[in-house]
């Protein structure tokens, strides 16, 4: 009976929130822990890769501006087989603009992320974006944290070719993409490798998302082998950090964003909590605040203005307690 109740609860959570698949699979894991099949299924349900293109983008070139490029890069799988990684290069009209590496979260591939990508470009960034293997035009497979990290490194190498100025290289991650962004940034050096990190709707650790769902979620969190641990790494990030989170986020509760903020270097972190903001649509729900926060970071990069003080200055309508 307890198992039936647990499965019913987790199925309901799956219907209610976009990371709910995690909650369902963690219950099943109590019987399948250690099984190779389970390892694959857990990753499939939790990470929810979405290969292929939406019908609206079936024709090459749809959604691109003049000068934009979508291309495939050959990569090698762990077993030595050839695979492909989809990369996008979206230049900014201003050749002096900083360049941002866009790392998306679960479920939606780059085509589904295009509105947010364009909001970032309109704010002032050129963009290199990657669809990890398992998503979009990349090789269809069941991804892992290791395969995603490897794809991020390949995309980072592409950004280095596009942006020679280290201070104008920015790493951006949304949700799960924020976790891999922290992993990348924590291995880089400000000034030598990159200039800043931007995290949107990001969590501490993936199991913490489940734990926030209640007692059954806590049990599931104790079982899973998936980590995506940003909390233990963000303290090693030595560049300016901009963190955005909506107070009404139903996928990654804002409390997890606050905990990650508290683990980040206080002197270089700007926290922007947007009242009423959701998980994936801050760019469209609060476009002015979203754009201002990003442009404050760009101003800091280009002029050497104080950070995070510059963030508080440019966003006077956001209570100071939310930006500290």
């Amino acid at each position: 009976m307890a198992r039936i109740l647990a499965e019913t609860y987790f199925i309901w959570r799956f219907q209610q929130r976009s990371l709910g698949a995690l909650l369902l699979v963690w219950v099943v894991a109590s019987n399948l822990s250690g099984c190779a099949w389970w390892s694959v299924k857990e990753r499939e349900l939790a990470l929810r890769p979405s290969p292929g293109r939406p019908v609206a983008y079936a024709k090459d070139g749809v959604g691109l501006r003049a000068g934009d490029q979508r291309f495939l890069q050959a990569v090698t799988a762990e077993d030595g087989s050839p695979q492909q990684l989809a990369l996008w290069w979206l230049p900014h009209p201003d050749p002096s603009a900083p360049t941002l590496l866009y790392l998306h979260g679960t479920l939606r591939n780059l085509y589904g992320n295009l509105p947010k990508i364009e909001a970032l470009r309109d704010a002032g960034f050129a963009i290199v974006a990657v669809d990890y293997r398992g998503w979009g035009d990349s090789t269809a497979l069941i991804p892992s944290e290791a395969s995603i990290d490897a794809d991020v490194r390949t995309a980072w190498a592409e950004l280095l070719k596009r942006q020679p100025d280290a201070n104008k290289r920015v790493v951006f991650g949304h949700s799960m993409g924020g976790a891999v962004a922290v992993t990348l940034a924590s291995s880089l050096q400000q000034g030598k490798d990159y200039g800043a990190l931007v995290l949107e709707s990001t969590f501490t650790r993936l199991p913490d998302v489940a734990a926030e769902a209640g007692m059954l979620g806590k049990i599931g969190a104790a079982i899973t082998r998936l980590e995506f641990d940003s909390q233990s790494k963000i303290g090693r990030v030595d560049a300016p950090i901009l963190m955005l989170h909506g107070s009404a986020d139903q996928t990654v509760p804002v409390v997890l964003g606050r905990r990650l903020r508290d683990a980040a270097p206080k002197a270089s972190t700007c926290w922007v909590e947007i009242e009423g903001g959701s998980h994936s649509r801050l760019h469209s729900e609060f476009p002015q605040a979203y754009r201002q926060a990003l442009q404050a970071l760009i101003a800091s990069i280009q002029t050497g203005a104080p950070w995070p003080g510059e963030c508080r200055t440019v966003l006077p309508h956001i209570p100071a307690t939310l930006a500290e």
Side-chain angles (χ1 to χ4, degrees):
M1 177 60 69
R3 183 176 302 165
I4 293 174
L5 290 174
E7 291 178 354
T8 301
Y9 172 77
F10 284 115
I11 291 171
W12 177 80
R13 296 301 299 185
F14 171 73
Q15 295 170 341
Q16 294 298 313
R17 57 197 299 181
S18 64
L19 288 182
L22 284 171
L23 309 179
L24 173 60
V25 298
W26 279 325
V27 171
V28 182
S30 62
N31 289 326
L32 299 176
S33 181
C35 174
W37 176 88
W38 165 246
S39 176
V40 173
K41 201 64 178 176
E42 180 185 34
R43 288 184 280 115
E44 180 183 12
L45 293 175
L47 301 178
R48 296 171 302 155
S50 53
R53 301 183 186 184
V55 174
Y57 295 95
K59 185 178 180 180
D60 287 341
V62 175
L64 296 180
R65 303 182 190 180
D68 290 355
Q69 301 174 30
R70 295 178 183 142
F71 58 95
L72 299 175
Q73 183 162 324
V75 295
T76 303
E78 290 184 0
D79 63 4
S81 62
Q83 296 183 344
Q84 62 186 24
L85 188 67
L87 296 165
W88 293 10
W89 165 238
L90 309 176
H92 192 272
D94 181 357
S96 67
T99 304
L100 178 146
L101 177 63
Y102 185 88
L103 304 174
H104 66 71
T106 60
L107 185 60
R108 296 183 186 89
N109 58 36
L110 287 180
Y111 295 100
N113 278 263
L114 191 55
K116 187 179 296 293
I117 291 171
E118 290 294 6
L120 290 164
R121 180 153 58 165
D122 289 342
F125 293 101
I127 294 172
V128 171
V130 58
D131 255 332
Y132 327 113
R133 283 170 290 171
W135 282 266
D137 297 325
S138 296
T139 297
L141 50 70
I142 304 303
S144 66
E145 187 167 3
S147 72
I148 293 172
D149 284 340
D151 295 342
V152 168
R153 288 288 178 176
T154 300
W156 179 248
E158 181 65 28
L159 185 142
L160 298 182
K161 298 175 187 177
R162 304 287 183 173
Q163 178 54 262
D165 187 342
N167 288 312
K168 291 184 178 181
R169 299 170 187 156
V170 177
V171 181
F172 173 97
H174 174 257
S175 193
M176 182 272 289
V180 292
V182 170
T183 296
L184 173 64
S186 66
S187 69
L188 304 177
Q189 182 178 340
Q190 183 195 10
K192 178 182 177 182
D193 301 310
Y194 78 128
L197 170 67
V198 181
L199 303 175
E200 182 180 340
S201 308
T202 300
F203 45 80
T204 46
R205 297 167 56 250
L206 201 54
D208 294 342
V209 179
E212 284 299 312
M215 182 55 66
L216 294 178
K218 288 180 172 63
I219 295 172
I223 295 171
T224 184
R225 287 170 291 179
L226 296 173
E227 281 293 329
F228 289 91
D229 182 0
S230 295
Q231 189 167 16
S232 67
K233 301 171 186 173
I234 197 167
R236 300 197 296 271
V237 175
D238 63 355
I241 303 173
L242 171 62
M243 301 179 70
L244 303 107
H245 214 117
S247 67
D249 191 330
Q250 297 298 307
T251 302
V252 177
V254 69
V255 65
L256 297 183
R258 293 171 186 158
R259 290 177 195 166
L260 186 60
R261 171 203 63 192
D262 293 343
K266 184 176 180 59
S268 58
T269 300
C270 177
W271 167 259
V272 178
E273 183 175 318
I274 299 180
E275 185 66 29
S278 68
H279 181 67
S280 297
R281 296 183 296 276
L282 295 181
H283 62 281
S284 58
E285 294 168 338
F286 301 92
Q288 182 179 3
Y290 192 81
R291 183 184 182 94
Q292 284 181 312
L294 294 163
Q295 290 182 334
L297 179 64
I298 292 173
S300 177
I301 292 171
Q302 294 183 328
T303 67
W307 184 265
E310 178 71 6
C311 176
R312 292 191 293 270
T313 300
V314 176
L315 299 172
H317 61 284
I318 294 179
T321 55
L322 301 183
E324 293 177 349

